[in-house]
Amino acid sequence: MRRHLLPLVLLSSATTASYAQSRQTHSISGLVISADSKETIAGATVILKGTTTGNTTNADGKFILNVPAGEPATLVVSFLGYRPEEVTVEPGQNVVEVRLEENVATLNDVVVIGFGAVKKRDVTGSIASVKAEEIVQTPTHNAVEALQGRVPGADIVRNSGAAGAGSSITIRGNRSINSPGSGIDKNSPLVVIDGYQGGNISDLNPNDIESVEVLKDASATAIYGAQGANGVIIVSTKRGAAGKVRVDYNGYYGVNDYQFPESRIGEGYVALRREAFRTVGQWSTPADDARLFPAPGEYDAVQNGQWVNWMDLVKNRGIQQSHAVSLRGGSEATKVFASAGYFREEGMLTNNFNRLNSRLNLDQTISKVFKTGLLTQVTYYQQNDRRDPLSVVTSISPLGVPYDADGRVNTFPIASDQTRISPLADELGPNTARNNTIRTNIIANGYLEAKPLRGLTLRTNFGSNMDFRRQGIFNDRLSLGQNGRGFSAASTENTFSRFINWDNIVTYVQELGKSTLTLTGITNYIRSDVDNTYAGGQSQLLSSQLFYDLNSTSTTARTFASPSTPPYVGSKNMAYAGRVNYNYAGKYLLTVTGRYDGASRLAPGNKWDFFPSVAAAWNIGDEDFLRNSRKLTQLKLRTSYGVAGNYAIAPYGTQSVLSASPRMSFGDVPAQMYTFSPTVGNPNLGWEKSATLNLGLDLGFFDNRLTANLDVYDTRTSDILLLRPLPLSTGVTQVYENIGGTRNRGVELAVTSQNFSTENFSWTTTLTLTRNKEEITDLLDGRDIIATSGPETNSLLLGRPVGSFYTYEKQGIWQTSEADEAAKYKVGNYVMQPGDIKVADLNGDFIIDAKDQTYIGSTVPKFVAGLQNTVRYRGFDLNVFALARYGQMINAQFLGRYNPSGNGNGPASLDYWTPENPTNDFPRPRKDSNLNSYAGYTGYQALNFVDGSFFKIRTMTLGYTLPKSIGSKVMLQNARLYVTATNLLILTKSDLLDNYDPERGGAESTPLSRQVLVGLNLSF
């Protein structure tokens, strides 16, 4: 029977084709125009619905198509950036005009959710969506930056100003507590790319992204279980489309520069040293200057005017460029999207970053039942880093000769002083200091989808992510990294990571009258494996060998174990999940989700747990009493509650692991030995759980020209997984325990207003506002945990945020008029005096000691706001994005470079106390005193902590789009030229942060840059 089936099918197809060709047709002509601008659209696809017959519009937006005669025909008209339109052509009709509307956000837009998609009006959870056109408004190599200020509830900051640096994102605060030194960020959201886990947004070319959805509440993230405990970011890349192939080019070229506090030089440097000596009675007039410079050759350099502005010498003008080309097209059966991109950044501190990436997305309809697809990406990185020289710049004496007569760097600027190395030492030659990383990331994802019955969809997704990374480091004995050690150091580390994600999804949709029921069932399996090999040595025979031939290093100093990464790490997760969506008349919505999660990292007996959630929404605006309202066009109430889990501990954290060590011998015979790892196993370790209640309100006024989304949430996390220190007498140093609790409460608001909307002029404003209150609610024994190492930044305080600062509360500097009051306070036997740091005596005993340390602030802002304004006039467009973070404190490390003895250096902007200059910023200089060596400087730790509130013009873009009537003459569908300025204006609340961008968080190294670039967008 089966062997006769194929000829029968072929005969049937041939008969059908013959009949189709014999049918009578007639020709129609049409015009496709933009409903908003009234301009014609060239390159639009026009297809006879239900067939592969079609055509595209010419340069004037016109088309001709043959349709069946004597019966109605439906045309499907589509063009990128516009909503598809279906037009019915009646019998005998010869001319048709089609108006396409721009694809702006509406209630009928589709929003991607976990393992599915729904109309925006049917969403029950808290979800924010950012579309492609918004992402590319911020020219960047990392799409996370483009989300900044656009997603309420998402706190996004640029990690550093280094070439190729990424951004960090925290959704609705820190629920978990990161254990210092664990290397695990337990508050990072899950990233899902095209339905697959295991990817990294920074590996994507932003031009390849179609949309980004950020899932925030427990109902929206519940389908991802433990992986979604800290929110979920779903990235959808672009896919092929039926019709004429479209080619896009997007590129830009820009220059970077940054501002950083200048160091003391010339008279300012001498004045600090004079004051330090004057304080102890060793200087009174310039005649005493010779005694100020006892170091070899230093006073001669002063007399010869050999001042050096090291800041100007280490800085370079950074360059950034990006080029991306994509092709998009296909037929009704086969759709293809392909792209290639190149990004390069030359950093301002002699480092560079290169990225090459390519993508191929293929969707193939096999039959009415089966569909399959392949989504692949290859990304190649090469990065050259260097030790950040700013720490040396801000501390070295600004004296000497930086270059010799041949223009080569003088390793020691003052030849007679071989203890002070130049900040330019790493630039002595190409083999002085190298830190080279090469990395290849390969993503290969595939799916098979079947629709055997109406309403039933079966889909299997299999994703793989392979990452190959090699880092080689070499530092010559005269480099900054090896300064003072007298030998060179070389190492190479190779890491091979594999990640597998296999999902099986069953979806069934049943419509019963006004009711729609959607059932989703999921199995989810992920596996992660990481291999690591390391080798290092000292005293490389030839510096030109760098890190390539470690056999040439000293045999007595070779190592074959990574100081930070185990040779192998593996983990697995398995989950079963189900979701029910109920929709009645589009007005009453209900979502119920349950997921049963298993994690190999947890202890036996505690590996599995169940996490439920429920959400409901009411489209009040669809009720009869509001349906005809002209002012209120949308009113929707949402609520949800759910519990999510987190298992974010290091693999094997529940086990007591043995580590091999070669440090044993029997006489001269080496022997292998094994020791317990510092972390002792805990067989009772279980899940960390977060319960979230969310209330939401969606509003629309005046035909949705004014929209608002408001969310209020309360997240309570219990049984926090924390690496707890143990007494050394136990033989181990730490153990994981479920010993803490946190709470995050907040309000999120997004308001969009179409201020003006005419044929030639439009102005749209979007405001986002996030207010999150974070606090630790429970710790072991109900007491604060004051860290023994770095208590200022690593302590955990009840009732305070996770990222809190604990130290003395600086109240200023003791003034001359307060001498009698200052004398009441002691540090040990030392009596405070004018010019000393004035700190709060919290217990009132007039003794300043550790009992007076307290919470002084945190990294958590009181609110984060983003303001986006987009103005379009004819072919011109102007976009201004402003960002504000208010109420957070930062650890401004460069402020700690204040050198009170005057024998080093420091930022010139630091205002120190003298009898003639009674400032409250920094204490009086004092010869031979460091901040931690003089009792009068007690509380110096607080000098670094300042209010980090700021307002900045994050980006400003001015563009011009060539009219289509002109572009079409040279085969262009779109042509746009633009100029973008980044970090154009920065206003800080604290004067101490002048010439510093506090978004960096206070770190001294690689400050953030200002950038100006020119870009071009072309479509063919």
Side-chain angles (χ1 to χ4, degrees):
M1 178 70 180
R2 291 184 178 177
R3 58 186 173 185
H4 299 298
L5 183 59
L6 181 58
L8 185 61
V9 171
L10 293 175
L11 179 60
S12 175
S13 300
T15 304
T16 302
S18 176
Y19 172 74
Q21 291 175 0
S22 65
R23 287 191 303 173
Q24 292 185 350
T25 62
H26 80 278
S27 177
I28 65 168
S29 61
L31 179 68
V32 180
I33 64 174
S34 169
D36 298 318
S37 66
K38 305 300 186 296
E39 290 187 357
T40 58
I41 299 177
T45 302
V46 183
I47 295 178
L48 183 61
K49 187 174 183 180
T51 73
T52 58
T53 302
N55 204 345
T56 58
T57 58
N58 62 18
D60 297 322
K62 297 178 180 180
F63 69 90
I64 297 176
L65 190 67
N66 291 327
V67 301
E71 60 182 88
T74 301
L75 306 181
V76 180
V77 185
S78 61
F79 185 71
L80 192 65
Y82 291 81
R83 289 197 191 89
E85 187 75 25
E86 292 190 7
V87 179
T88 301
V89 179
E90 300 296 337
Q93 184 177 351
N94 298 318
V95 180
V96 64
E97 181 178 283
V98 183
R99 299 190 176 197
L100 297 183
E101 294 184 358
E102 288 190 16
N103 188 17
V104 296
T106 68
L107 294 179
N108 292 320
D109 278 349
V110 173
V111 175
V112 179
I113 61 174
F115 303 98
V118 298
K119 290 182 179 180
K120 187 176 180 180
R121 62 170 294 113
D122 296 336
V123 170
T124 57
S126 181
I127 300 176
S129 182
V130 182
K131 300 303 182 184
E133 56 271 19
E134 298 174 281
I135 294 171
V136 296
Q137 279 183 355
T138 303
T140 175
H141 73 287
N142 188 344
V144 172
E145 285 190 46
L147 304 180
Q148 191 178 45
R150 300 179 186 271
V151 179
D155 190 12
I156 301 172
V157 294
R158 178 77 185 262
N159 290 334
S160 82
S167 298
S168 62
I169 177 170
T170 304
I171 298 176
R172 292 188 168 182
N174 296 294
R175 301 170 178 82
S176 302
I177 299 174
N178 293 324
S179 301
S182 67
I184 297 177
D185 184 359
K186 296 164 63 177
N187 292 291
S188 294
L190 170 70
V191 175
V192 178
I193 301 175
D194 291 322
Y196 301 86
Q197 300 179 37
N200 191 326
I201 296 182
S202 63
D203 291 332
L204 296 175
N205 185 331
N207 296 285
D208 291 348
I209 296 175
E210 186 69 42
S211 68
V212 176
E213 272 74 29
V214 180
L215 283 54
K216 296 180 289 185
D217 71 329
S219 172
T221 65
I223 201 70
Y224 290 104
Q227 284 79 32
N230 298 302
V232 180
I233 300 175
I234 300 180
V235 181
S236 301
T237 61
K238 294 176 180 177
R239 312 293 272 269
K244 180 182 176 181
V245 174
R246 172 168 173 163
V247 180
D248 291 297
Y249 166 80
N250 297 283
Y252 60 81
Y253 182 92
V255 294
N256 304 345
D257 195 8
Y258 62 72
Q259 289 185 322
F260 190 80
E262 293 286 345
S263 299
R264 299 187 190 279
I265 190 172
E267 285 301 316
Y269 180 75
V270 174
L272 173 63
R273 189 167 291 198
R274 286 172 174 171
E275 186 61 32
F277 278 67
R278 184 175 76 138
T279 301
V280 296
Q282 296 185 19
W283 184 92
S284 57
T285 68
D288 299 325
D289 281 352
R291 71 175 62 175
L292 302 180
F293 302 97
E298 194 173 23
Y299 188 58
D300 290 338
V302 172
Q303 289 182 312
N304 294 328
Q306 294 174 343
W307 297 103
V308 185
N309 190 328
W310 293 113
M311 186 65 67
D312 284 347
L313 295 182
V314 299
K315 284 195 306 182
N316 298 280
R317 173 155 289 179
I319 297 175
Q320 191 176 110
Q321 60 178 308
S322 175
H323 307 277
V325 178
S326 65
L327 292 87
R328 192 174 195 176
S331 64
E332 289 297 319
T334 306
K335 298 180 176 65
V336 178
F337 174 83
S339 71
Y342 171 69
F343 175 83
R344 175 176 175 81
E345 183 173 4
E346 298 177 20
M348 293 164 286
L349 298 173
T350 318
N351 53 1
N352 59 70
F353 174 86
N354 296 271
R355 182 184 70 190
L356 290 165
N357 59 344
S358 62
R359 168 168 286 273
L360 175 63
N361 290 350
L362 173 66
D363 296 283
Q364 178 67 49
T365 300
I366 302 173
S367 66
K368 292 183 178 180
V369 175
F370 292 102
K371 180 181 179 181
T372 188
L374 185 67
L375 303 101
T376 64
Q377 177 176 285
V378 178
T379 307
Y380 173 78
Y381 294 90
Q382 185 170 116
Q383 185 166 0
N384 291 294
D385 286 323
R386 67 169 291 182
R387 181 187 176 97
D388 192 293
L390 294 185
S391 60
V392 181
V393 168
T394 54
S395 58
I396 190 174
S397 165
L399 290 164
V401 181
Y403 302 101
D404 64 17
D406 297 325
R408 289 169 51 87
V409 171
N410 285 324
T411 303
F412 301 101
I414 299 178
S416 56
D417 186 353
Q418 298 288 298
T419 63
R420 302 189 187 188
I421 193 169
S422 168
L424 303 172
D426 287 352
E427 300 177 29
L428 181 62
N431 300 325
T432 302
R434 295 286 293 276
N435 184 347
N436 174 258
T437 299
I438 55 176
R439 173 177 167 241
T440 301
N441 179 259
I442 301 174
I443 297 175
N445 301 328
Y447 71 88
L448 177 64
E449 184 178 280
K451 296 183 178 181
L453 301 172
R454 182 178 179 181
L456 178 64
T457 302
L458 309 175
R459 184 180 174 113
T460 183
N461 294 336
F462 184 83
S464 62
N465 189 318
M466 292 180 289
D467 200 278
F468 308 84
R469 181 178 182 271
R470 190 274 290 149
Q471 181 180 23
I473 300 175
F474 173 78
N475 285 296
D476 187 74
R477 65 182 184 86
L478 293 178
S479 67
L480 292 177
Q482 290 298 109
N483 179 31
R485 295 191 174 118
F487 55 84
S488 66
S491 67
T492 183
E493 188 168 7
N494 293 273
T495 305
F496 175 33
S497 305
R498 292 91 68 202
F499 186 93
I500 293 175
N501 173 202
W502 184 24
D503 298 326
N504 292 285
I505 309 116
V506 179
T507 305
Y508 180 70
V509 181
Q510 178 66 53
E511 295 184 3
L512 301 170
K514 293 184 178 182
S515 298
T516 301
L517 183 67
T518 303
L519 305 176
T520 305
I522 300 161
T523 66
N524 169 240
Y525 172 78
I526 61 175
R527 173 172 177 161
S528 174
D529 297 273
V530 180
D531 297 339
N532 183 269
T533 57
Y534 174 90
Q538 297 176 0
S539 301
Q540 182 70 289
L541 184 62
L542 298 172
S543 61
S544 59
Q545 292 174 308
L546 298 174
F547 42 78
Y548 292 110
D549 185 5
L550 296 181
N551 283 326
S552 298
T553 59
S554 170
T555 57
T556 59
R558 293 181 193 162
T559 57
F560 300 95
S562 171
S564 59
T565 308
Y568 169 79
V569 176
S571 62
K572 301 177 184 178
N573 296 81
M574 186 70 200
Y576 306 90
R579 180 174 61 203
V580 178
N581 291 92
Y582 177 73
N583 181 328
Y584 181 78
K587 293 189 291 186
Y588 313 112
L589 311 170
L590 178 68
T591 301
V592 179
T593 307
R595 177 158 169 146
Y596 192 50
D597 250 308
S600 67
R601 301 189 189 194
L602 299 178
N606 296 312
K607 294 180 182 293
W608 290 87
D609 214 328
F610 179 72
F611 303 100
S613 75
V614 61
W618 178 20
N619 277 314
I620 308 173
D622 288 355
E623 297 291 353
D624 292 338
F625 57 85
L626 283 177
R627 182 169 296 171
N628 296 322
S629 173
R630 295 184 178 181
K631 294 182 179 180
L632 183 62
T633 50
Q634 180 193 1
L635 177 59
K636 181 180 180 181
L637 183 64
R638 297 176 281 106
T639 184
S640 67
Y641 178 81
V643 179
N646 196 341
Y647 57 83
I649 63 170
Y652 321 118
T654 62
Q655 306 172 30
S656 297
V657 180
L658 292 175
S659 300
S661 173
R663 297 178 181 178
M664 182 177 178
S665 65
F666 294 96
D668 295 331
V669 180
Q672 190 83 335
M673 65 176 289
Y674 291 88
T675 61
F676 281 107
S677 69
T679 303
V680 65
N682 180 358
N684 300 314
L685 201 66
W687 288 85
E688 178 178 308
K689 297 181 180 181
S690 296
T692 301
L693 174 65
N694 191 97
L695 298 175
L697 185 65
D698 302 329
L699 296 166
F701 302 92
F702 313 114
D703 198 23
N704 285 338
R705 287 191 59 175
L706 177 64
T707 61
N709 305 99
L710 176 68
D711 280 274
V712 180
Y713 62 88
D714 188 348
T715 300
R716 305 186 186 212
T717 303
S718 59
D719 297 324
I720 285 180
L721 296 162
L722 185 62
L723 197 58
R724 173 193 172 191
L726 294 174
L728 292 177
S729 59
T730 62
V732 289
T733 60
Q734 55 196 11
V735 62
Y736 278 107
E737 290 189 350
N738 299 100
I739 57 173
T742 61
R743 185 181 185 185
N744 280 271
R745 290 168 287 171
V747 178
E748 301 166 355
L749 176 66
V751 179
T752 297
S753 171
Q754 297 179 31
N755 306 315
F756 292 94
S757 181
T758 65
E759 182 176 342
N760 294 322
F761 178 76
S762 66
W763 174 22
T764 302
T765 300
T766 298
L767 170 69
T768 61
L769 185 66
T770 300
R771 169 74 168 95
N772 180 71
K773 183 179 180 181
E774 175 187 314
E775 60 181 324
I776 298 174
T777 58
D778 184 33
L779 288 171
L780 184 67
D781 299 330
R783 295 181 297 175
D784 295 341
I785 298 178
I786 307 302
T788 55
S789 176
E792 295 84 13
T793 56
N794 294 328
S795 296
L796 302 175
L797 311 176
L798 288 168
R800 304 298 186 183
V802 173
S804 291
F805 298 126
Y806 179 83
T807 186
Y808 294 97
E809 182 182 320
K810 175 176 174 286
Q811 296 182 324
I813 305 297
W814 286 110
Q815 302 298 324
T816 303
S817 60
E818 300 175 306
D820 293 340
E821 182 67 19
K824 299 178 182 178
Y825 296 90
K826 291 184 178 181
V827 176
N829 293 322
Y830 176 82
V831 177
M832 304 300 286
Q833 55 185 300
D836 293 342
I837 299 176
K838 182 180 181 181
V839 299
D841 177 23
L842 298 182
N843 60 2
D845 62 358
F846 294 97
I847 297 175
I848 306 302
D849 55 20
K851 297 177 183 178
D852 296 307
Q853 295 179 358
T854 185
Y855 166 81
I856 62 169
S858 81
T859 58
V860 179
K862 292 182 179 179
F863 71 80
V864 178
L867 181 64
Q868 193 93 223
N869 276 285
T870 302
V871 178
R872 290 185 172 89
Y873 177 70
R874 296 188 182 274
F876 291 94
D877 62 89
L878 174 66
N879 178 269
V880 181
F881 168 46
L883 175 70
R885 287 171 59 88
Y886 179 81
Q888 83 274 18
M889 180 174 281
I890 65 172
N891 179 10
Q893 295 174 357
F894 67 90
L895 297 180
R897 292 293 176 182
Y898 172 60
N899 190 311
S901 66
N903 60 1
N905 207 326
S909 59
L910 304 189
D911 191 15
Y912 53 85
W913 188 95
T914 70
E916 298 79 21
N917 180 48
T919 178
N920 274 297
D921 290 343
F922 290 84
R924 185 176 191 177
R926 179 177 292 272
K927 178 180 177 292
D928 296 331
S929 295
N930 296 319
L931 286 174
N932 60 357
S933 66
Y934 173 58
Y937 296 157
T938 298
Y940 72 92
Q941 300 94 330
L943 297 176
N944 288 25
F945 301 113
V946 297
D947 192 323
S949 301
F950 68 86
F951 169 86
K952 67 160 63 175
I953 303 297
R954 182 66 175 83
T955 58
M956 178 181 290
T957 299
L958 177 63
Y960 176 73
T961 301
L962 197 68
K964 288 183 171 59
S965 59
I966 299 177
S968 61
K969 295 179 181 179
V970 289
M971 305 297 292
L972 283 173
Q973 294 183 14
N974 181 70
R976 177 174 176 264
L977 179 69
Y978 65 89
V979 178
T980 296
T982 302
N983 295 332
L984 189 62
L985 172 68
I986 303 172
L987 302 176
T988 61
K989 185 177 180 181
S990 173
D991 294 338
L992 295 174
L993 299 179
D994 286 349
N995 295 321
Y996 181 83
D997 188 341
E999 184 185 342
R1000 177 71 173 91
E1004 180 180 62
S1005 62
T1006 58
L1008 299 187
S1009 65
R1010 291 179 175 176
Q1011 180 186 70
V1012 177
L1013 58 83
V1014 178
L1016 182 65
N1017 307 131
L1018 298 175
S1019 297
F1020 301 89

